[in-house]
């Protein structure tokens, strides 16, 4: 019977040792899980921050592109007006010269 008690005591000691090692492993896994959760949260925050930075950069580039396009459009409109003015002036001058052409021919032939 004493032998059985010793075996039982030995078995209980091994169970306690195993239980303690399981507790230590659980504690270690809990710490690792906590670390991984923190890293994941930090990565999520970093991703959101980078996403916001890229969104703002895209908005700025879009705004600058719109401004640039509007400037180009305005310049083209102004250039068109200049050409139209020059063309109108040339047309008026040509018509004036054409009107005097018969008179010049008569004077020349005359």
């Amino acid at each position: 019977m004493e032998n059985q008690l010793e075996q039982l005591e030995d078995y209980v000691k091994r169970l306690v040792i195993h239980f303690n090692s399981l507790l230590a492993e659980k504690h270690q896994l809990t710490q690792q899980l906590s670390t991984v959760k923190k890293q994941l949260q930090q990565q999520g925050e970093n991703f959101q921050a980078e996403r916001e930075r890229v969104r703002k950069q895209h908005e700025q580039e879009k705004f600058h592109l719109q401004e640039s396009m509007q400037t180009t459009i305005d310049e083209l409109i102004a250039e068109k007006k200049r050409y139209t003015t020059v063309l109108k002036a040339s047309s008026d001058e040509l018509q004036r010269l054409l009107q005097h052409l018969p008179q010049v021919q008569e004077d020349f032939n005359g």
Side-chain angles (χ1 to χ4, degrees):
M1 174 113 147
E2 197 171 306
N3 191 18
Q4 287 179 335
L5 282 176
E6 286 177 10
Q7 285 179 344
L8 183 61
E9 187 178 317
D10 188 45
Y11 180 70
V12 169
K13 285 180 183 179
R14 280 187 276 141
L15 277 176
V16 168
I17 290 171
H18 185 65
F19 181 75
N20 285 335
S21 71
L22 287 176
L23 283 178
E25 186 178 346
K26 178 187 174 211
H27 178 71
Q28 180 184 6
L29 290 173
T30 302
Q31 286 180 330
Q32 288 175 350
L33 180 62
S34 177
T35 300
V36 168
K37 282 182 180 179
K38 287 176 185 176
Q39 289 173 345
L40 185 59
Q41 181 180 1
Q42 185 63 45
Q43 287 176 352
E45 290 171 4
N46 291 346
F47 173 78
Q48 290 298 330
E50 181 64 14
R51 182 176 176 220
E52 182 63 18
R53 185 193 68 76
V54 168
R55 187 193 66 75
K56 285 180 180 179
Q57 181 181 358
H58 177 286
E59 286 296 319
Q60 287 177 344
E61 288 173 359
K62 179 181 163 186
F63 176 75
H64 291 307
L65 181 60
Q66 286 174 334
E67 279 186 333
S68 175
M69 288 175 65
Q70 188 60 51
T71 300
T72 301
I73 289 169
D74 292 345
E75 288 171 354
L76 289 172
I77 289 171
E79 187 174 349
K80 177 188 169 206
K81 286 180 182 178
R82 284 191 302 273
Y83 283 127
T84 301
T85 302
V86 168
L87 188 60
K88 175 74 172 125
S90 296
S91 174
D92 290 347
E93 180 65 17
L94 188 57
Q95 288 205 356
R96 186 184 66 74
L97 290 172
L98 286 174
Q99 286 175 356
H100 288 8
L101 185 62
Q103 181 182 359
V104 170
Q105 284 181 345
E106 285 176 16
D107 290 345
F108 183 72
N109 290 337

